[in-house]
Amino acid sequence: GTGLADGAPPSVETLCAACHGPGGNSVVPFFPRLAGQQAIYLEKQLRDFLAGKRKNDVMAPVLEHIPEADIPRIAAYYAAQAATPNKPDNEALVTAGQAIFNDGNTGTGVPACIGCHQPGGMGNERFPRLAGQHPAYAAAQLKAFKTGSRSNDKAKVMRTVAERLSDDEIAAVVEYLATQ
Ligand code: HEM
Ligand code: HEM
């Protein structure tokens, strides 16, 4: 292993797993899955919560219990965990969502998500993984980008994307991503 990812800091199991599940495979749909997420993205979001740049009434107080020096190790731990895929509930939605993800919607100016989030939504060092994420969480984030309630620096690019997505397109694309 890398040394970083080998051992979870104790806080991960005692504090984070209560909501994000064992190994970051959360069960409750409003708590995002962290398993297999890109480490750079995880670290950035944790620092944004701490600094109040990404506002969240749940995560901000939780992070007061974490030494800031542990953040890179926590991010490396979750990035190294295997993600368990979700099962599709609705095949028609999955198919429609795959088309939006891969091709966007030229009629309304929705860009192809794949251009940033990579095939199957796996992400890379610049863009977060979306594969396997809970539809309820992902849809809530798209709505938060749209209204501007998630507004840290890098969220601005997502605002222009989310503003162009209809509610039906959101429902479809998040269903597709959950199956990846
Ligand atoms: C979001 C990590 C503890 C509830 C997040 C995100 C990360 C994270 C990285 C952003 C995920 C993304 O953008 O995809 C952690 C860590 C924890 C911890 C490392 C322990 C130190 C908790 C606990 C709860 C919780 C205990 C519940 C009481 C949430 C919620 C969100 C979130 C509701 C979504 C926030 C939003 O809608 O913007 N967490 N978490 N987390 N976490 Fe945690
Ligand atoms: C974040 C979906 C297109 C760049 C996100 C998140 C979702 C999402 C759900 C939040 C991830 C999380 O909280 O874990 C989509 C969909 C797209 C799309 C469905 C197509 C319709 C794009 C494009 C770009 C992009 C084209 C690049 C130009 C980003 C970035 C973030 C992000 C930089 C992270 C924002 C931050 O750091 O807070 N996307 N995305 N996305 N997306 Fe997209």
Side-chain angles (χ1 to χ4, degrees):
T2 59
L4 273 179
D6 289 343
S11 49
V12 163
E13 287 309 323
T14 55
L15 198 57
C16 320
C19 296
H20 294 285
N25 280 297
S26 96
V27 181
V28 180
F30 298 103
F31 297 138
R33 291 194 162 188
L34 306 178
Q37 181 55 275
Q38 300 290 333
I40 292 174
Y41 171 80
L42 289 171
E43 192 169 335
K44 170 75 160 56
Q45 298 307 308
L46 291 170
R47 293 192 191 282
D48 281 357
F49 285 130
L50 259 181
K53 290 184 194 162
R54 178 172 169 184
K55 293 180 179 46
N56 187 261
D57 294 343
V58 179
M59 280 304 298
V62 165
L63 290 175
E64 285 166 20
H65 301 279
I66 297 287
E68 204 175 337
D70 279 2
I71 286 181
R73 202 151 65 100
I74 292 173
Y77 166 76
Y78 280 121
Q81 302 308 303
T84 51
N86 276 305
K87 285 203 201 73
D89 280 344
N90 182 326
E91 290 287 357
L93 264 189
V94 171
T95 304
Q98 182 170 23
I100 294 160
F101 187 83
N102 289 340
D103 306 324
N105 181 339
T106 46
T108 56
V110 176
C113 322
I114 195 172
C116 293
H117 291 283
Q118 306 300 304
M122 297 306 289
N124 62 19
E125 63 286 350
R126 289 180 58 205
F127 301 106
R129 175 193 176 109
L130 306 174
Q133 190 52 272
H134 288 299
Y137 167 78
Q141 295 307 307
L142 288 168
K143 285 168 191 168
F145 288 129
K146 203 171 185 170
T147 62
S149 67
R150 180 168 168 182
S151 62
N152 54 330
D153 51 355
K154 290 198 182 163
K156 280 175 194 136
V157 60
M158 275 309 299
R159 182 167 196 178
T160 67
V161 175
E163 276 172 348
R164 294 176 167 86
L165 286 169
S166 69
D167 288 351
D168 285 350
E169 286 174 326
I170 289 176
V173 78
V174 299
E175 190 76 9
Y176 162 70
L177 287 166
T179 67
Q180 293 305 289

